[in-house]
Amino acid sequence: EIKAVHFVDVARLASPSLPVYLSLIDVEYVGGTVASFLLPAPVVSDERFQELNKQRPVRPMVRLTGNIQGLVIDALQVPEAAEQIVRLIAGQPVMSARGAEIGGALHGSIDCPVPTNGAPHVSKFSEDSTSEQVVVADRLLLKIFRQVEPGVHPEVEVGRFLAQQARFPHAAPLVGTLYYRRRGADPVILADLQRFIVSEGTAWNATVDDLSRYFERVLALPAEQRQAPSGPQLPLSLDAEEPPPL
């Protein structure tokens, strides 16, 4: 149960056409624990909200009045806002209200095509309990982390190792990260940017397909080569034997 919510810091992205705010929020629970969350939110007009709501249901968080007017909604439900976050990762950092730096670190090339009609190339919004994701130009996957904390982020570190050191070809390469850095404190990873790989199925389907091909090869062998070893054998006793032919 939530006891209180506190705004820790906020920064506005540089685009004059659409106000987009990145806010860090501390949520205090009744049990005494505190968790930090990232809230990326643009302020859209009523007309833009109706356009977005026709594509998929969108729930506004709050309506602003005053110098900035409009509806505050989730950033990754607005293609222009998601594109601004990608540009922040690839471009110059911004300063927050408390003097912290929010910026990006590139680990690979961003090769998104420039739209000819001015419309952002953003699609396929999805979310789960830990992150929100959109696909940019069918080439990049932008993942915003919901709950954040200072220090090393496992997903980012594993992605960096696989891409830069192991040169592992069977994982989506890490392209960039978005960080929040305040003087005297460890940086906080807010988002990462990966190369988008079109799904070719699940791990379960790949395992079943590999097993099917294996048994097909076994059944194609002569009968005498398809016999299993007789008698119980301990796994460690097999290390000195030659593997059976496939």
Short mmCIF file of all heavy atoms in Angstrom, two decimals, residues 15-78:
data_model
loop_
_atom_site.label_atom_id
_atom_site.label_comp_id
_atom_site.label_asym_id
_atom_site.label_seq_id
_atom_site.Cartn_x
_atom_site.Cartn_y
_atom_site.Cartn_z
N SER A 15 12.55 19.96 -27.37
CA SER A 15 11.66 20.26 -28.50
C SER A 15 10.63 21.31 -28.12
O SER A 15 9.94 21.17 -27.11
CB SER A 15 10.95 18.99 -28.96
OG SER A 15 9.98 19.30 -29.94
N PRO A 16 10.49 22.39 -28.93
CA PRO A 16 9.49 23.41 -28.61
C PRO A 16 8.08 23.01 -29.03
O PRO A 16 7.10 23.60 -28.57
CB PRO A 16 9.97 24.63 -29.42
CG PRO A 16 10.69 24.02 -30.59
CD PRO A 16 11.32 22.75 -30.09
N SER A 17 7.96 22.02 -29.93
CA SER A 17 6.65 21.68 -30.47
C SER A 17 5.80 20.84 -29.54
O SER A 17 4.57 20.96 -29.51
CB SER A 17 6.82 20.95 -31.81
OG SER A 17 7.59 19.76 -31.62
N LEU A 18 6.44 19.96 -28.75
CA LEU A 18 5.70 19.08 -27.84
C LEU A 18 6.43 19.04 -26.49
O LEU A 18 7.53 18.50 -26.41
CB LEU A 18 5.60 17.67 -28.42
CG LEU A 18 4.90 16.64 -27.52
CD1 LEU A 18 3.41 16.94 -27.43
CD2 LEU A 18 5.14 15.23 -28.02
N PRO A 19 5.83 19.59 -25.44
CA PRO A 19 6.49 19.51 -24.12
C PRO A 19 6.55 18.05 -23.64
O PRO A 19 5.53 17.39 -23.52
CB PRO A 19 5.57 20.36 -23.22
CG PRO A 19 4.71 21.16 -24.14
CD PRO A 19 4.57 20.34 -25.38
N VAL A 20 7.76 17.58 -23.37
CA VAL A 20 7.97 16.23 -22.85
C VAL A 20 8.81 16.35 -21.58
O VAL A 20 9.89 16.97 -21.60
CB VAL A 20 8.68 15.31 -23.86
CG1 VAL A 20 8.92 13.93 -23.25
CG2 VAL A 20 7.85 15.18 -25.13
N TYR A 21 8.33 15.76 -20.50
CA TYR A 21 9.00 15.84 -19.21
C TYR A 21 9.44 14.45 -18.76
O TYR A 21 8.68 13.48 -18.88
CB TYR A 21 8.08 16.45 -18.16
CG TYR A 21 7.69 17.88 -18.46
CD1 TYR A 21 6.56 18.16 -19.21
CD2 TYR A 21 8.47 18.93 -18.00
CE1 TYR A 21 6.20 19.47 -19.50
CE2 TYR A 21 8.12 20.26 -18.29
CZ TYR A 21 6.99 20.51 -19.04
OH TYR A 21 6.64 21.81 -19.33
N LEU A 22 10.66 14.37 -18.25
CA LEU A 22 11.16 13.16 -17.61
C LEU A 22 11.23 13.42 -16.12
O LEU A 22 12.00 14.27 -15.67
CB LEU A 22 12.54 12.79 -18.16
CG LEU A 22 12.65 12.53 -19.67
CD1 LEU A 22 14.08 12.16 -20.03
CD2 LEU A 22 11.69 11.44 -20.11
N SER A 23 10.40 12.70 -15.37
CA SER A 23 10.31 12.94 -13.92
C SER A 23 10.78 11.70 -13.17
O SER A 23 10.46 10.57 -13.55
CB SER A 23 8.87 13.26 -13.51
OG SER A 23 8.39 14.40 -14.19
N LEU A 24 11.53 11.94 -12.09
CA LEU A 24 11.89 10.88 -11.16
C LEU A 24 11.03 11.02 -9.92
O LEU A 24 10.92 12.11 -9.34
CB LEU A 24 13.37 10.96 -10.79
CG LEU A 24 14.35 10.47 -11.85
CD1 LEU A 24 15.78 10.74 -11.41
CD2 LEU A 24 14.17 9.00 -12.13
N ILE A 25 10.41 9.91 -9.52
CA ILE A 25 9.43 9.92 -8.44
C ILE A 25 9.82 8.87 -7.41
O ILE A 25 10.19 7.74 -7.77
CB ILE A 25 8.02 9.62 -8.98
CG1 ILE A 25 7.60 10.72 -9.96
CG2 ILE A 25 7.00 9.50 -7.85
CD1 ILE A 25 6.31 10.42 -10.68
N ASP A 26 9.76 9.23 -6.15
CA ASP A 26 9.93 8.28 -5.05
C ASP A 26 8.56 7.90 -4.50
O ASP A 26 7.75 8.79 -4.17
CB ASP A 26 10.78 8.88 -3.92
CG ASP A 26 12.27 8.76 -4.19
OD1 ASP A 26 12.64 8.11 -5.20
OD2 ASP A 26 13.05 9.31 -3.41
N VAL A 27 8.32 6.60 -4.43
CA VAL A 27 7.07 6.09 -3.86
C VAL A 27 7.38 5.46 -2.51
O VAL A 27 8.19 4.53 -2.43
CB VAL A 27 6.42 5.05 -4.80
CG1 VAL A 27 5.15 4.47 -4.16
CG2 VAL A 27 6.08 5.70 -6.15
N GLU A 28 6.75 5.99 -1.47
CA GLU A 28 6.95 5.48 -0.11
C GLU A 28 5.77 4.58 0.26
O GLU A 28 4.61 4.98 0.14
CB GLU A 28 7.04 6.65 0.87
CG GLU A 28 7.30 6.23 2.31
CD GLU A 28 7.37 7.41 3.24
OE1 GLU A 28 7.32 8.57 2.75
OE2 GLU A 28 7.46 7.20 4.47
N TYR A 29 6.08 3.35 0.68
CA TYR A 29 5.05 2.38 1.04
C TYR A 29 4.83 2.36 2.55
O TYR A 29 5.69 2.80 3.33
CB TYR A 29 5.43 1.00 0.53
CG TYR A 29 5.52 0.92 -0.98
CD1 TYR A 29 6.74 1.09 -1.63
CD2 TYR A 29 4.38 0.71 -1.74
CE1 TYR A 29 6.82 1.04 -3.01
CE2 TYR A 29 4.46 0.65 -3.12
CZ TYR A 29 5.68 0.82 -3.76
OH TYR A 29 5.75 0.78 -5.13
N VAL A 30 3.68 1.82 2.95
CA VAL A 30 3.31 1.81 4.36
C VAL A 30 4.33 1.05 5.19
O VAL A 30 4.65 1.41 6.32
CB VAL A 30 1.90 1.21 4.54
CG1 VAL A 30 1.57 1.02 6.02
CG2 VAL A 30 0.86 2.10 3.88
N GLY A 31 4.92 0.00 4.63
CA GLY A 31 5.89 -0.80 5.36
C GLY A 31 7.22 -0.11 5.58
O GLY A 31 8.09 -0.65 6.28
N GLY A 32 7.41 1.06 4.97
CA GLY A 32 8.64 1.81 5.18
C GLY A 32 9.61 1.79 4.01
O GLY A 32 10.58 2.55 4.00
N THR A 33 9.41 0.91 3.03
CA THR A 33 10.29 0.85 1.87
C THR A 33 9.99 2.00 0.91
O THR A 33 8.87 2.51 0.85
CB THR A 33 10.16 -0.48 1.13
OG1 THR A 33 8.79 -0.64 0.70
CG2 THR A 33 10.54 -1.64 2.05
N VAL A 34 11.02 2.39 0.16
CA VAL A 34 10.90 3.46 -0.83
C VAL A 34 11.45 2.95 -2.15
O VAL A 34 12.53 2.35 -2.20
CB VAL A 34 11.66 4.72 -0.38
CG1 VAL A 34 11.57 5.81 -1.46
CG2 VAL A 34 11.11 5.24 0.94
N ALA A 35 10.73 3.17 -3.24
CA ALA A 35 11.17 2.78 -4.58
C ALA A 35 11.11 3.99 -5.49
O ALA A 35 10.23 4.85 -5.36
CB ALA A 35 10.29 1.66 -5.13
N SER A 36 12.06 4.05 -6.43
CA SER A 36 12.14 5.18 -7.37
C SER A 36 11.63 4.74 -8.74
O SER A 36 11.93 3.63 -9.20
CB SER A 36 13.58 5.67 -7.49
OG SER A 36 14.05 6.15 -6.24
N PHE A 37 10.90 5.62 -9.39
CA PHE A 37 10.30 5.33 -10.69
C PHE A 37 10.56 6.47 -11.66
O PHE A 37 10.68 7.64 -11.25
CB PHE A 37 8.79 5.09 -10.56
CG PHE A 37 8.43 3.87 -9.77
CD1 PHE A 37 8.31 3.94 -8.39
CD2 PHE A 37 8.22 2.66 -10.39
CE1 PHE A 37 7.98 2.82 -7.65
CE2 PHE A 37 7.89 1.53 -9.66
CZ PHE A 37 7.77 1.61 -8.29
N LEU A 38 10.64 6.11 -12.95
CA LEU A 38 10.75 7.11 -14.02
C LEU A 38 9.38 7.31 -14.63
O LEU A 38 8.70 6.34 -14.98
CB LEU A 38 11.74 6.64 -15.08
CG LEU A 38 11.80 7.50 -16.35
CD1 LEU A 38 12.33 8.90 -16.04
CD2 LEU A 38 12.65 6.83 -17.43
N LEU A 39 8.98 8.57 -14.77
CA LEU A 39 7.71 8.90 -15.40
C LEU A 39 7.99 9.82 -16.59
O LEU A 39 8.17 11.02 -16.43
CB LEU A 39 6.77 9.59 -14.41
CG LEU A 39 5.43 10.07 -14.97
CD1 LEU A 39 4.59 8.89 -15.46
CD2 LEU A 39 4.66 10.86 -13.92
N PRO A 40 8.04 9.27 -17.81
CA PRO A 40 8.19 10.11 -19.00
C PRO A 40 6.80 10.50 -19.50
O PRO A 40 5.97 9.64 -19.79
CB PRO A 40 8.91 9.19 -19.99
CG PRO A 40 8.50 7.80 -19.59
CD PRO A 40 8.10 7.84 -18.14
N ALA A 41 6.55 11.80 -19.63
CA ALA A 41 5.18 12.23 -19.95
C ALA A 41 5.19 13.49 -20.79
O ALA A 41 5.77 14.50 -20.39
CB ALA A 41 4.40 12.46 -18.66
N PRO A 42 4.53 13.46 -21.94
CA PRO A 42 4.32 14.68 -22.73
C PRO A 42 2.99 15.33 -22.36
O PRO A 42 2.14 14.72 -21.71
CB PRO A 42 4.29 14.16 -24.17
CG PRO A 42 3.66 12.80 -24.02
CD PRO A 42 4.11 12.27 -22.67
N VAL A 43 2.83 16.58 -22.78
CA VAL A 43 1.57 17.29 -22.62
C VAL A 43 1.00 17.51 -24.02
O VAL A 43 1.61 18.22 -24.84
CB VAL A 43 1.77 18.63 -21.91
CG1 VAL A 43 0.42 19.32 -21.69
CG2 VAL A 43 2.48 18.43 -20.57
N VAL A 44 -0.13 16.87 -24.31
CA VAL A 44 -0.70 16.92 -25.66
C VAL A 44 -2.01 17.70 -25.64
O VAL A 44 -2.69 17.80 -24.61
CB VAL A 44 -0.94 15.50 -26.22
CG1 VAL A 44 0.36 14.72 -26.28
CG2 VAL A 44 -1.97 14.74 -25.39
N SER A 45 -2.37 18.22 -26.80
CA SER A 45 -3.63 18.95 -26.94
C SER A 45 -4.79 17.96 -26.97
O SER A 45 -4.61 16.75 -27.16
CB SER A 45 -3.63 19.77 -28.22
OG SER A 45 -3.57 18.90 -29.36
N ASP A 46 -6.00 18.48 -26.79
CA ASP A 46 -7.18 17.63 -26.85
C ASP A 46 -7.31 16.98 -28.23
O ASP A 46 -7.71 15.81 -28.35
CB ASP A 46 -8.44 18.44 -26.55
CG ASP A 46 -8.56 18.81 -25.08
OD1 ASP A 46 -7.69 18.40 -24.29
OD2 ASP A 46 -9.52 19.52 -24.72
N GLU A 47 -6.98 17.73 -29.28
CA GLU A 47 -7.09 17.19 -30.64
C GLU A 47 -6.11 16.03 -30.84
O GLU A 47 -6.48 14.98 -31.40
CB GLU A 47 -6.82 18.28 -31.67
CG GLU A 47 -7.86 19.39 -31.72
CD GLU A 47 -7.73 20.38 -30.58
OE1 GLU A 47 -6.66 20.37 -29.90
OE2 GLU A 47 -8.68 21.15 -30.35
N ARG A 48 -4.86 16.20 -30.37
CA ARG A 48 -3.87 15.12 -30.52
C ARG A 48 -4.26 13.92 -29.67
O ARG A 48 -4.06 12.77 -30.08
CB ARG A 48 -2.49 15.64 -30.11
CG ARG A 48 -1.37 14.62 -30.30
CD ARG A 48 -1.26 14.16 -31.72
NE ARG A 48 -0.15 13.26 -31.93
CZ ARG A 48 -0.22 12.18 -32.70
NH1 ARG A 48 -1.34 11.87 -33.33
NH2 ARG A 48 0.85 11.41 -32.86
N PHE A 49 -4.83 14.18 -28.50
CA PHE A 49 -5.28 13.08 -27.66
C PHE A 49 -6.36 12.26 -28.36
O PHE A 49 -6.33 11.01 -28.32
CB PHE A 49 -5.82 13.62 -26.34
CG PHE A 49 -6.42 12.56 -25.46
CD1 PHE A 49 -5.62 11.72 -24.70
CD2 PHE A 49 -7.80 12.38 -25.40
CE1 PHE A 49 -6.16 10.73 -23.89
CE2 PHE A 49 -8.36 11.40 -24.60
CZ PHE A 49 -7.54 10.57 -23.84
N GLN A 50 -7.30 12.91 -29.02
CA GLN A 50 -8.35 12.18 -29.74
C GLN A 50 -7.77 11.35 -30.88
O GLN A 50 -8.22 10.22 -31.12
CB GLN A 50 -9.41 13.17 -30.27
CG GLN A 50 -10.18 13.91 -29.19
CD GLN A 50 -10.95 12.97 -28.27
OE1 GLN A 50 -11.40 11.90 -28.69
NE2 GLN A 50 -11.11 13.37 -27.01
N GLU A 51 -6.76 11.89 -31.57
CA GLU A 51 -6.12 11.12 -32.65
C GLU A 51 -5.46 9.85 -32.10
O GLU A 51 -5.59 8.77 -32.68
CB GLU A 51 -5.08 11.99 -33.35
CG GLU A 51 -5.65 13.16 -34.12
CD GLU A 51 -4.56 14.06 -34.67
OE1 GLU A 51 -3.37 13.77 -34.42
OE2 GLU A 51 -4.89 15.06 -35.34
N LEU A 52 -4.74 10.01 -30.99
CA LEU A 52 -4.05 8.85 -30.38
C LEU A 52 -5.05 7.84 -29.85
O LEU A 52 -4.83 6.63 -29.96
CB LEU A 52 -3.12 9.33 -29.26
CG LEU A 52 -1.95 10.21 -29.67
CD1 LEU A 52 -1.31 10.85 -28.45
CD2 LEU A 52 -0.92 9.40 -30.45
N ASN A 53 -6.14 8.32 -29.29
CA ASN A 53 -7.13 7.44 -28.69
C ASN A 53 -7.86 6.60 -29.74
O ASN A 53 -8.39 5.53 -29.43
CB ASN A 53 -8.13 8.25 -27.87
CG ASN A 53 -8.81 7.44 -26.79
OD1 ASN A 53 -8.18 6.62 -26.13
ND2 ASN A 53 -10.10 7.64 -26.63
N LYS A 54 -7.89 7.07 -30.97
CA LYS A 54 -8.49 6.28 -32.05
C LYS A 54 -7.61 5.09 -32.42
O LYS A 54 -8.10 4.06 -32.88
CB LYS A 54 -8.71 7.16 -33.27
CG LYS A 54 -9.82 8.20 -33.09
CD LYS A 54 -9.95 9.06 -34.34
CE LYS A 54 -11.03 10.12 -34.16
NZ LYS A 54 -11.14 11.01 -35.36
N GLN A 55 -6.29 5.23 -32.24
CA GLN A 55 -5.37 4.16 -32.59
C GLN A 55 -5.34 3.07 -31.52
O GLN A 55 -5.29 1.90 -31.82
CB GLN A 55 -3.96 4.74 -32.79
CG GLN A 55 -3.91 5.80 -33.88
CD GLN A 55 -2.57 6.51 -33.91
OE1 GLN A 55 -1.60 6.09 -33.30
NE2 GLN A 55 -2.51 7.63 -34.62
N ARG A 56 -5.34 3.48 -30.24
CA ARG A 56 -5.39 2.56 -29.10
C ARG A 56 -5.88 3.34 -27.90
O ARG A 56 -5.69 4.55 -27.83
CB ARG A 56 -4.00 1.95 -28.82
CG ARG A 56 -2.97 2.94 -28.37
CD ARG A 56 -1.67 2.25 -27.98
NE ARG A 56 -1.05 1.61 -29.12
CZ ARG A 56 -0.19 2.22 -29.93
NH1 ARG A 56 0.14 3.47 -29.70
NH2 ARG A 56 0.35 1.59 -30.93
N PRO A 57 -6.53 2.68 -26.94
CA PRO A 57 -7.03 3.40 -25.77
C PRO A 57 -5.90 4.08 -25.00
O PRO A 57 -4.89 3.47 -24.68
CB PRO A 57 -7.70 2.29 -24.93
CG PRO A 57 -8.02 1.21 -25.91
CD PRO A 57 -6.93 1.26 -26.94
N VAL A 58 -6.08 5.36 -24.73
CA VAL A 58 -5.10 6.15 -23.99
C VAL A 58 -5.80 6.79 -22.80
O VAL A 58 -6.85 7.41 -22.96
CB VAL A 58 -4.48 7.25 -24.88
CG1 VAL A 58 -3.48 8.08 -24.09
CG2 VAL A 58 -3.80 6.63 -26.10
N ARG A 59 -5.20 6.65 -21.62
CA ARG A 59 -5.78 7.24 -20.42
C ARG A 59 -4.93 8.42 -19.97
O ARG A 59 -3.74 8.24 -19.67
CB ARG A 59 -5.88 6.21 -19.30
CG ARG A 59 -6.93 5.14 -19.55
CD ARG A 59 -7.13 4.27 -18.33
NE ARG A 59 -5.92 3.54 -17.99
CZ ARG A 59 -5.82 2.73 -16.95
NH1 ARG A 59 -6.86 2.56 -16.13
NH2 ARG A 59 -4.68 2.10 -16.70
N PRO A 60 -5.50 9.62 -19.92
CA PRO A 60 -4.72 10.77 -19.44
C PRO A 60 -4.49 10.68 -17.94
O PRO A 60 -5.31 10.16 -17.19
CB PRO A 60 -5.61 11.96 -19.79
CG PRO A 60 -7.00 11.40 -19.83
CD PRO A 60 -6.87 9.99 -20.32
N MET A 61 -3.33 11.18 -17.48
CA MET A 61 -3.02 11.20 -16.06
C MET A 61 -3.64 12.41 -15.37
O MET A 61 -4.19 12.31 -14.27
CB MET A 61 -1.50 11.23 -15.85
CG MET A 61 -0.76 10.07 -16.48
SD MET A 61 1.03 10.24 -16.26
CE MET A 61 1.62 8.98 -17.39
N VAL A 62 -3.53 13.57 -16.03
CA VAL A 62 -4.01 14.81 -15.44
C VAL A 62 -4.11 15.86 -16.54
O VAL A 62 -3.45 15.74 -17.58
CB VAL A 62 -3.04 15.28 -14.31
CG1 VAL A 62 -1.70 15.69 -14.89
CG2 VAL A 62 -3.65 16.39 -13.48
N ARG A 63 -4.92 16.87 -16.32
CA ARG A 63 -5.00 18.00 -17.25
C ARG A 63 -4.27 19.19 -16.64
O ARG A 63 -4.49 19.54 -15.47
CB ARG A 63 -6.45 18.38 -17.54
CG ARG A 63 -6.59 19.59 -18.47
CD ARG A 63 -8.05 19.96 -18.69
NE ARG A 63 -8.72 18.97 -19.48
CZ ARG A 63 -8.70 18.91 -20.80
NH1 ARG A 63 -7.99 19.81 -21.49
NH2 ARG A 63 -9.35 17.97 -21.46
N LEU A 64 -3.40 19.82 -17.45
CA LEU A 64 -2.67 21.01 -16.99
C LEU A 64 -3.35 22.25 -17.53
O LEU A 64 -3.83 22.29 -18.66
CB LEU A 64 -1.22 20.97 -17.48
CG LEU A 64 -0.32 19.86 -16.95
CD1 LEU A 64 1.10 20.05 -17.47
CD2 LEU A 64 -0.32 19.81 -15.43
N THR A 65 -3.37 23.31 -16.70
CA THR A 65 -3.85 24.62 -17.11
C THR A 65 -2.80 25.64 -16.69
O THR A 65 -2.00 25.41 -15.79
CB THR A 65 -5.19 24.96 -16.45
OG1 THR A 65 -5.03 24.93 -15.03
CG2 THR A 65 -6.27 23.97 -16.85
N GLY A 66 -2.80 26.77 -17.37
CA GLY A 66 -1.81 27.80 -17.06
C GLY A 66 -0.91 28.06 -18.25
O GLY A 66 -1.38 28.08 -19.40
N ASN A 67 0.41 28.24 -17.99
CA ASN A 67 1.35 28.51 -19.09
C ASN A 67 1.41 27.35 -20.07
O ASN A 67 1.57 27.54 -21.28
CB ASN A 67 2.74 28.80 -18.54
CG ASN A 67 2.79 30.09 -17.76
OD1 ASN A 67 1.98 30.99 -18.01
ND2 ASN A 67 3.70 30.20 -16.81
N ILE A 68 1.36 26.12 -19.56
CA ILE A 68 1.32 24.92 -20.40
C ILE A 68 -0.02 24.25 -20.20
O ILE A 68 -0.39 23.91 -19.07
CB ILE A 68 2.47 23.96 -20.05
CG1 ILE A 68 3.82 24.64 -20.30
CG2 ILE A 68 2.36 22.68 -20.84
CD1 ILE A 68 5.01 23.79 -19.94
N GLN A 69 -0.75 24.07 -21.28
CA GLN A 69 -2.08 23.50 -21.20
C GLN A 69 -2.16 22.23 -22.02
O GLN A 69 -1.55 22.11 -23.07
CB GLN A 69 -3.12 24.51 -21.70
CG GLN A 69 -3.16 25.80 -20.91
CD GLN A 69 -4.26 26.73 -21.39
OE1 GLN A 69 -5.04 26.39 -22.27
NE2 GLN A 69 -4.34 27.93 -20.81
N GLY A 70 -2.91 21.26 -21.50
CA GLY A 70 -3.11 20.01 -22.23
C GLY A 70 -3.23 18.83 -21.30
O GLY A 70 -3.31 18.98 -20.07
N LEU A 71 -3.24 17.65 -21.90
CA LEU A 71 -3.38 16.40 -21.15
C LEU A 71 -2.03 15.72 -21.02
O LEU A 71 -1.29 15.61 -22.00
CB LEU A 71 -4.37 15.48 -21.86
CG LEU A 71 -5.82 15.98 -21.93
CD1 LEU A 71 -6.63 15.15 -22.90
CD2 LEU A 71 -6.46 15.95 -20.55
N VAL A 72 -1.72 15.27 -19.82
CA VAL A 72 -0.47 14.54 -19.57
C VAL A 72 -0.74 13.06 -19.74
O VAL A 72 -1.63 12.50 -19.08
CB VAL A 72 0.04 14.83 -18.14
CG1 VAL A 72 1.32 14.04 -17.87
CG2 VAL A 72 0.27 16.32 -17.95
N ILE A 73 0.01 12.40 -20.64
CA ILE A 73 -0.17 10.97 -20.88
C ILE A 73 1.20 10.30 -20.93
O ILE A 73 2.24 10.96 -20.85
CB ILE A 73 -0.96 10.70 -22.18
CG1 ILE A 73 -0.19 11.23 -23.40
CG2 ILE A 73 -2.34 11.33 -22.12
CD1 ILE A 73 -0.88 10.92 -24.72
N ASP A 74 1.20 8.99 -21.06
CA ASP A 74 2.45 8.23 -21.11
C ASP A 74 3.21 8.54 -22.39
O ASP A 74 2.65 8.55 -23.49
CB ASP A 74 2.14 6.74 -21.03
CG ASP A 74 3.39 5.91 -20.85
OD1 ASP A 74 4.13 5.74 -21.84
OD2 ASP A 74 3.64 5.43 -19.73
N ALA A 75 4.53 8.76 -22.26
CA ALA A 75 5.33 9.23 -23.40
C ALA A 75 5.37 8.23 -24.54
O ALA A 75 5.34 8.62 -25.71
CB ALA A 75 6.75 9.55 -22.94
N LEU A 76 5.46 6.93 -24.24
CA LEU A 76 5.64 5.96 -25.32
C LEU A 76 4.34 5.67 -26.06
O LEU A 76 4.34 4.90 -27.02
CB LEU A 76 6.25 4.67 -24.78
CG LEU A 76 7.68 4.81 -24.26
CD1 LEU A 76 8.32 3.45 -24.08
CD2 LEU A 76 8.54 5.68 -25.17
N GLN A 77 3.24 6.28 -25.64
CA GLN A 77 2.02 6.21 -26.42
C GLN A 77 1.92 7.37 -27.41
O GLN A 77 0.96 7.46 -28.17
CB GLN A 77 0.80 6.21 -25.49
CG GLN A 77 0.70 4.94 -24.66
CD GLN A 77 -0.52 4.92 -23.77
OE1 GLN A 77 -0.84 5.90 -23.11
NE2 GLN A 77 -1.22 3.81 -23.76
N VAL A 78 2.94 8.23 -27.41
CA VAL A 78 2.98 9.38 -28.32
C VAL A 78 4.24 9.24 -29.17
O VAL A 78 5.35 9.38 -28.66
CB VAL A 78 3.00 10.71 -27.54
CG1 VAL A 78 2.93 11.89 -28.51
CG2 VAL A 78 1.88 10.75 -26.52
#
